[in-house]
Amino acid sequence: LQTKQIIMKRPGLSRSITNVEEAIEQMRYILESEERKQLNDSNRREREQLFLVFWANRDPTPGTSKNELMDEYYARVAFTEENFSRGTSGGWRSDMGMIFILFGKPDDIQRYSSMQSNYSYETWYYFSIGQEFAFIDDYGFGDYRLRYPFVY
């Protein structure tokens, strides 16, 4: 007997969203302070409605059934979960995850390792915006932390 998983797409939601509460938490990098306050002051049902309103306001093509920006954002979140998760830390919460979600795939990546010590580092280059981000893994476990520019 073969089983198949059926995923029902709710209207207004990206295909990759399975949990609205988690999807709201994953918006932390793009929410404005007033939006964050509204979400914190709302109950679960209101949060789901606010979620839909926030994404409707960001929809680049509001007359269509698809929200391309939401789809791209959550595709990036899914990519970070697959590629940057370490231990109990979700990939979207990592420094590399944050940068990838906000800016997408880098135009170029330079990787360096030190033979004398365990650390490695990567520099991601985004030529179109003239920005670079340096990540360092101090202990050799793949837990890269943003070192440049310092954004905390």
Side-chain angles (χ1 to χ4, degrees):
L1 182 66
Q2 191 176 26
T3 62
K4 290 188 177 185
Q5 182 181 8
I6 298 174
I7 298 174
M8 300 291 288
K9 185 178 184 295
R10 288 179 48 196
L13 289 184
S14 176
R15 202 177 288 284
S16 58
I17 295 174
T18 57
N19 179 321
V20 173
E21 287 295 322
E22 185 177 43
I24 289 170
E25 189 178 343
Q26 292 165 338
M27 288 179 69
R28 79 168 53 172
Y29 303 127
I30 61 169
L31 284 175
E32 296 176 8
S33 57
E34 184 57 36
E35 293 171 328
R36 192 177 327 276
K37 183 179 177 343
Q38 284 180 310
L39 283 167
N40 289 337
D41 295 343
S42 63
N43 63 39
R44 191 175 85 78
R45 178 169 283 221
E46 292 168 333
R47 272 195 299 279
E48 285 190 27
Q49 191 57 41
L50 285 170
F51 175 80
L52 295 173
V53 169
F54 294 156
W55 278 110
N57 290 338
R58 291 169 170 84
D59 190 348
T61 55
T64 65
S65 62
K66 194 173 178 184
N67 185 329
E68 299 82 2
L69 186 60
M70 179 195 294
D71 289 346
E72 175 65 20
Y73 189 85
Y74 287 104
R76 289 179 184 184
V77 169
F79 180 87
T80 64
E81 286 299 296
E82 287 181 29
N83 293 280
F84 304 131
S85 291
R86 301 289 180 264
T88 58
S89 172
W92 70 269
R93 288 183 177 94
S94 71
D95 289 351
M96 284 182 157
M98 173 185 64
I99 298 303
F100 189 90
I101 289 168
L102 291 173
F103 299 103
K105 182 181 176 193
D107 296 315
D108 190 31
I109 298 174
Q110 297 291 318
R111 292 181 176 97
Y112 308 92
S113 294
S114 170
M115 298 302 218
Q116 291 80 15
S117 62
N118 288 335
Y119 81 88
S120 308
Y121 63 97
E122 285 190 17
T123 303
W124 291 4
Y125 298 94
Y126 292 88
F127 301 126
S128 61
I129 60 170
Q131 188 63 265
E132 66 183 63
F133 299 94
F135 304 93
I136 297 182
D137 175 14
D138 289 315
Y139 304 105
F141 294 113
D143 185 21
Y144 286 87
R145 304 291 175 135
L146 183 64
R147 291 294 163 90
Y148 174 84
F150 191 72
V151 294
Y152 294 101

